Amino acid sequence: MRKPRQEMIAETRGKLIAAGRRAFGTIGYAEASMDDFTGEAGLTRGALYHHFGDKRGLLQAVIMEIDAEMTERLNEVSAAASTRWQGFVDECSAYIEMALEPEIQRIMFRDGPAVLGDISQWQNTPGCIAALSRSLDRLKADGEIIDIDTETAARLINGASSHMALWIANAENPEAVSKRAVAGFKAMLGSLRRQ
Amino acid sequence: MRKPRQEMIAETRGKLIAAGRRAFGTIGYAEASMDDFTGEAGLTRGALYHHFGDKRGLLQAVIMEIDAEMTERLNEVSAAASTRWQGFVDECSAYIEMALEPEIQRIMFRDGPAVLGDISQWQNTPGCIAALSRSLDRLKADGEIIDIDTETAARLINGASSHMALWIANAENPEAVSKRAVAGFKAMLGSLRRQ
DNA sequence: AAATAATGCATACGCTCCGTATGTCAATGA
DNA sequence: TCATTGACATACGGAGCGTATGCATTATTT
């Protein structure tokens, strides 16, 4: 056993993040009792305060983990497409689809911003927005899209898609609303394209 | 004194809504102690529970009040414009500007959705979205905009503008970011216009 | 290698806040 | 005028959070 110490620590951190993520993603941040979900992980609030300072610190760690996963997924999607433009459209669709997943919706689009403020700000541009920005930059360099500020466009898309996702997810008839939402969203994307 | 009773009741409700609105709009919903802000209004939590059921009920009442004010302001703006299209653009600009006001941003765009879920859903379409929808309907009837689902468009605009507002408000340099944001936003609006 | 320091985490305590149950007083209506 | 309802306050119990403290194990010093 050379260094089981660091492993144990990392394991504890991982357990806390996993437990918090599960609780935040299901019952929500405000309803999640620290005693409860640390207990489920076989730990106590002591460990949480030691590693993350407070409940918000844990939420931040959870968000960073999810953001990294989303970025990875977006990169995969855009890399798999045959053309740049198609890759971008696919990326945006994937973004909406991710925003439909209850855990992502709750943590990244509801509780996160409410508790920590604008998530896209307290970090130096989070991965999932940066990924959209990069795709737009490439399209712009290729002359495929109109002359627009790419970060602004990325944030417009971010805002629009997350709201579309909320609308769909909370609709009485998600299927029908989804058709309308995606159609409108693609129309908006199309307007970015040159010609 | 014909009916001082109803007046007293209405006054109490008004005081509670005003006190809650002030507290929610400044320190935020979660940090607002019911004992504190009811006390500041010369009342107790007893009155709050009696009139609104619980803290969330009061938030809902506050939101409905603010929504009504926003609707009124939007209607005024669009009515004051010389053309339909200009009225619509002005309306959207006004929407962003309102979203920059700390109280509106905090209550309508942060705490509200986090606590009550998608605000644009639990009511049968709130006034401020309905107002945008109506403007779009008129423009569509006039043949001024492309063939698009107006409610979807209104929600896209709603999402985009609220995110732009968040971006601006939390930026280190709001002035500069505001220029970029508004320019990009108007470009997006322009793409709705026929031709 | 022994002693000391530091770290990871648990336990304990007090405080604030919330929800409900209960009480009280004024206004209404017969 | 008396009973009743409704508006609001008070009282109580419980949950959750933050901090202070304790303990054990590992790291560091000599």
Side-chain angles (χ1 to χ4, degrees):
Chain A
M1 324 166 170
R2 268 296 71 180
K3 39 175 179 171
R5 174 76 168 190
Q6 296 305 318
E7 290 174 18
M8 292 303 293
I9 294 173
E11 191 178 326
T12 297
R13 273 186 62 96
K15 280 182 188 171
L16 288 172
I17 291 179
R21 176 169 175 169
R22 211 176 314 120
F24 297 159
T26 51
I27 59 178
Y29 178 84
E31 309 307 316
S33 157
M34 299 164 77
D35 281 324
D36 286 353
F37 68 74
T38 55
E40 288 170 11
L43 296 161
T44 69
R45 276 181 345 189
L48 193 156
Y49 277 101
H50 182 73
H51 284 289
F52 301 99
D54 59 359
K55 199 179 179 184
R56 297 179 47 183
L58 177 63
L59 176 61
Q60 191 164 333
V62 168
I63 286 178
M64 288 177 61
E65 183 179 277
I66 298 180
D67 178 60
E69 293 174 10
M70 291 174 70
T71 305
E72 169 72 14
R73 288 169 64 180
L74 289 179
N75 287 339
E76 284 173 6
V77 165
S78 79
S82 50
T83 70
R84 284 265 161 85
W85 176 255
Q86 189 56 44
F88 176 65
V89 172
D90 290 349
E91 211 174 344
C92 290
S93 300
Y95 197 81
I96 285 197
E97 278 162 26
M98 288 194 297
L100 279 172
E101 296 170 26
E103 186 184 58
I104 290 179
Q105 183 170 136
R106 181 93 211 203
I107 297 177
M108 302 296 281
F109 296 123
R110 276 185 56 172
D111 294 347
V115 175
L116 301 175
D118 188 9
I119 293 187
S120 64
Q121 215 82 26
W122 55 252
Q123 214 177 343
N124 36 352
T125 347
C128 48
I129 288 196
L132 289 179
S133 262
R134 274 196 304 276
S135 294
L136 283 167
D137 282 333
R138 283 195 296 262
L139 286 169
K140 196 173 176 182
D142 292 353
E144 285 230 56
I145 59 171
I146 60 178
D147 188 35
I148 194 174
D149 183 56
T150 51
E151 189 185 349
T152 305
R155 288 178 183 278
L156 279 169
I157 290 168
N158 176 48
S161 58
S162 64
H163 272 242
M164 289 297 99
L166 270 183
W167 184 29
I168 296 170
N170 295 344
E172 63 299 332
N173 185 349
E175 303 300 327
V177 169
S178 178
K179 282 199 197 308
R180 294 171 67 192
V182 171
F185 186 71
K186 288 198 173 173
M188 170 185 150
L189 285 187
S191 71
L192 284 177
R193 207 170 186 186
R194 195 175 287 283
Q195 244 59 350
Chain B
M1 327 169 168
R2 270 296 69 182
K3 39 177 177 171
R5 175 77 165 185
Q6 295 306 317
E7 289 174 19
M8 291 304 292
I9 295 173
E11 191 178 327
T12 297
R13 272 185 63 96
K15 280 183 188 172
L16 288 173
I17 291 179
R21 177 170 175 169
R22 210 175 315 120
F24 297 159
T26 51
I27 60 178
Y29 178 83
E31 310 306 317
S33 158
M34 298 164 75
D35 281 323
D36 286 354
F37 68 74
T38 54
E40 287 170 13
L43 296 161
T44 68
R45 277 184 351 214
L48 193 157
Y49 279 101
H50 181 74
H51 284 289
F52 302 100
D54 58 0
K55 199 180 179 183
R56 297 180 48 185
L58 177 62
L59 176 61
Q60 190 164 333
V62 168
I63 286 178
M64 288 177 59
E65 182 179 278
I66 297 180
D67 178 60
E69 292 173 11
M70 291 174 69
T71 304
E72 169 71 15
R73 288 170 63 178
L74 288 180
N75 287 338
E76 284 173 7
V77 165
S78 79
S82 51
T83 71
R84 284 265 161 86
W85 176 255
Q86 189 57 42
F88 176 64
V89 172
D90 290 350
E91 210 174 346
C92 290
S93 299
Y95 196 80
I96 285 196
E97 278 161 26
M98 289 194 296
L100 279 171
E101 296 170 24
E103 186 184 58
I104 290 179
Q105 184 171 133
R106 181 93 211 204
I107 297 177
M108 302 297 280
F109 296 124
R110 276 184 57 172
D111 294 347
V115 175
L116 302 175
D118 188 9
I119 293 187
S120 64
Q121 215 82 27
W122 54 252
Q123 213 176 344
N124 37 349
T125 348
C128 49
I129 288 196
L132 288 179
S133 261
R134 273 195 305 273
S135 293
L136 282 167
D137 281 335
R138 283 195 296 262
L139 285 170
K140 196 173 173 180
D142 292 353
E144 284 230 57
I145 59 171
I146 60 178
D147 187 35
I148 193 173
D149 182 57
T150 52
E151 187 183 350
T152 305
R155 288 178 183 278
L156 280 169
I157 290 167
N158 176 47
S161 57
S162 64
H163 273 242
M164 288 298 99
L166 269 183
W167 184 28
I168 296 169
N170 295 343
E172 64 297 332
N173 186 348
E175 303 301 327
V177 169
S178 178
K179 282 197 197 310
R180 294 170 67 191
V182 171
F185 186 73
K186 288 197 172 171
M188 171 186 150
L189 285 187
S191 70
L192 283 178
R193 207 171 186 186
R194 195 175 289 282
Q195 246 55 353

